[in-house]
Amino acid sequence: MKKHNYSAGPCILPQEVFEKSAQAIIDFNQSGLSLLEISHRSKDFVAVMDEARALVLELLGLEEKGYQALFLAGGASLEFLMIPYNLMKVNGKAAYLDTGTWASGAIKEAKHFGETIVVASSKPENYNHIPKNYTVPSDADYFHCTSNNTIFGTQMKSFPEVSMPLVCDMSSDIFSRSLDFSKFDIIYAGAQKNMGPAGTTLVVVKEEILGKTGRTIPGMLNYQEHISKESMYNTPPVFPVYASLLTLQWLKKLGGIAEIEKINEAKANLLYAEIDRNPLFKGVAALEDRSNMNATFVLANPEHEAKFDAMWKAAGISGIAGHRSVGGYRASMYNALPIESVQVLVDVMQELEKNI
């Protein structure tokens, strides 16, 4: 039976990425060696890293604009620490928007470095919306936000105009929609949503904002060190970088971000229309802030959960249980999820309605 993978991450990737990755593990570039055993300094892998970094900037429209793309380790959670290390001045301050669990984690790390101002938070409402009409203090060293909140199913539809560096955690919606990415000074994202397997983190940084904190930064945590070593300050996560390159190549061949955005909007519209139409279901996030990546919803009557769970499992659907901290359901519709899989979920929801 075909599986319809709604996992929130690690998540679905294009089938061709699995196939090419599997072949590379057996024999990479017809070298007679596995991708898993070659030197990261070999000509073949240096070419992978160079192409992946260049393709990131090409897809985001940031070529020739002073940006560097890095593939690092430690997950987006390590970036929570690296951002203030590299941007918050000694005796400085930073401004954060609190929109969910991961934003809260970033705020916690920043507090180790200096004054950390939360300009607005939707925590009192269980993060069911994106705060609006907040003010970012003009003397902050940077402003940090999280573009998409996987657990609660909200997504920023616009970003504030600020006078300081704008930093964004785009872990769960990078490469999914068209934005003016040049408005951001640092973008970071764990690979395991729209870009590749778990194990590497993409950081896109405008080089001119670095080196201004007045603090000593350990080499492994210093973006300038990673840039100077062309993302090979230490042994990089070879396999995740290669699989990410394959995914970026797939996206480019598909037509780039503009094309995948149309597909993602169609998928989200299909599912949200059923959530709103079907009296058995209720959406969780505020309408204007609904995420195109992670649709969160609950059953109006919890007594129907057992029946619904049995039905979606029988249909080959996987991974739609809500995050353990909130319950309910979460359908993650990342780039590689086909719209046909969304239709299967909609069909199950309609079948439940007929049988209640």
Side-chain angles (χ1 to χ4, degrees):
M1 173 186 288
K2 175 180 172 56
K3 288 290 186 178
H4 306 280
N5 184 6
Y6 284 91
S7 176
C11 67
I12 188 170
L13 291 172
Q15 185 63 33
E16 69 179 67
V17 172
F18 295 138
E19 293 170 359
K20 291 179 180 179
S21 296
Q23 179 56 44
I25 288 175
I26 297 170
D27 184 356
F28 182 54
N29 281 0
Q30 299 180 325
S31 65
L33 296 172
S34 169
L35 174 67
L36 302 183
E37 63 181 339
I38 64 169
S39 168
H40 66 289
R41 301 291 181 187
S42 67
K43 179 180 177 182
D44 282 347
F45 185 72
V46 169
V48 167
M49 180 65 85
D50 289 347
E51 183 181 354
R53 294 176 64 208
L55 192 47
V56 165
L57 299 181
E58 178 185 340
L59 288 167
L60 296 178
L62 296 177
E63 303 162 286
E64 309 298 328
K65 293 185 178 179
Y67 288 82
Q68 295 281 349
L70 302 169
F71 284 91
L72 306 179
S77 295
L78 183 59
E79 300 311 311
F80 297 167
L81 174 70
M82 289 181 71
I83 294 298
Y85 234 141
N86 285 266
L87 294 188
M88 193 186 295
K89 296 174 182 176
V90 175
N91 299 319
K93 67 172 67 173
Y96 280 71
L97 181 65
D98 179 23
T99 53
T101 299
W102 309 120
S104 178
I107 291 165
K108 179 181 177 181
E109 296 296 342
K111 287 180 178 178
H112 294 298
F113 292 85
E115 184 179 358
T116 303
I117 300 166
V118 178
V119 299
S121 175
S122 51
K123 185 175 182 179
E125 296 78 33
N126 200 32
Y127 295 120
N128 67 357
H129 70 285
I130 301 292
K132 317 288 191 308
N133 303 317
Y134 50 85
T135 300
V136 180
S138 60
D139 59 346
D141 294 326
Y142 63 92
F143 173 68
H144 179 286
C145 58
T146 306
S147 58
N148 187 76
N149 301 282
T150 54
I151 293 176
F152 301 96
T154 61
Q155 186 176 39
M156 295 180 71
K157 305 301 181 180
S158 61
F159 297 85
E161 297 290 337
V162 294
S163 58
M164 69 289 295
L166 177 58
V167 179
C168 189
D169 177 357
M170 293 190 184
S171 289
S172 50
D173 65 353
I174 187 74
F175 300 116
S176 72
R177 57 174 172 162
S178 299
L179 295 170
D180 180 359
F181 294 100
S182 67
K183 288 185 176 181
F184 301 92
D185 295 275
I186 294 183
I187 296 165
Y188 66 95
Q192 66 275 10
K193 312 289 186 179
N194 276 328
M195 195 178 70
T200 191
T201 305
L202 173 66
V203 176
V204 179
V205 55
K206 195 168 190 177
E207 202 166 358
E208 68 180 25
I209 70 169
L210 300 175
K212 300 179 180 179
T213 64
R215 68 172 76 246
T216 300
I217 306 172
M220 190 63 182
L221 301 177
N222 190 334
Y223 290 136
Q224 289 179 307
E225 290 278 7
H226 288 287
I227 290 169
S228 70
K229 302 298 184 182
E230 299 181 317
S231 208
M232 290 203 196
Y233 179 82
N234 64 318
T235 304
V238 172
F239 178 77
V241 172
Y242 178 68
S244 295
L245 170 60
L246 295 179
T247 307
L248 295 170
Q249 290 173 336
W250 168 83
L251 179 57
K252 181 179 179 179
K253 184 170 61 176
L254 191 69
I257 293 176
E259 189 60 32
I260 200 67
E261 180 178 38
K262 297 175 187 176
I263 297 170
N264 288 334
E265 287 182 348
K267 292 185 293 187
N269 289 341
L270 175 61
L271 181 54
Y272 282 125
E274 180 60 24
I275 291 171
D276 293 340
R277 183 208 64 80
N278 194 321
L280 300 183
F281 296 90
K282 296 189 299 183
V284 174
L287 293 178
E288 69 274 15
D289 298 324
R290 280 175 164 176
S291 167
N292 281 4
M293 295 284 96
N294 312 95
T296 51
F297 57 98
V298 296
L299 279 159
N301 186 345
E303 293 181 2
H304 297 151
E305 286 183 6
K307 187 176 186 66
F308 180 54
D309 291 350
M311 290 174 67
W312 60 256
K313 290 175 184 176
I317 291 171
S318 174
I320 68 163
H323 190 272
R324 60 187 178 276
S325 65
V326 295
Y329 299 93
R330 171 178 57 178
S332 295
M333 298 173 286
Y334 298 122
N335 285 356
L337 184 78
I339 196 168
E340 291 78 12
S341 290
V342 181
Q343 187 63 58
V344 170
L345 176 55
V346 168
D347 290 345
V348 170
M349 295 167 75
Q350 292 176 350
E351 188 66 24
L352 179 68
E353 182 185 19
K354 292 176 184 178
N355 292 333
I356 294 301

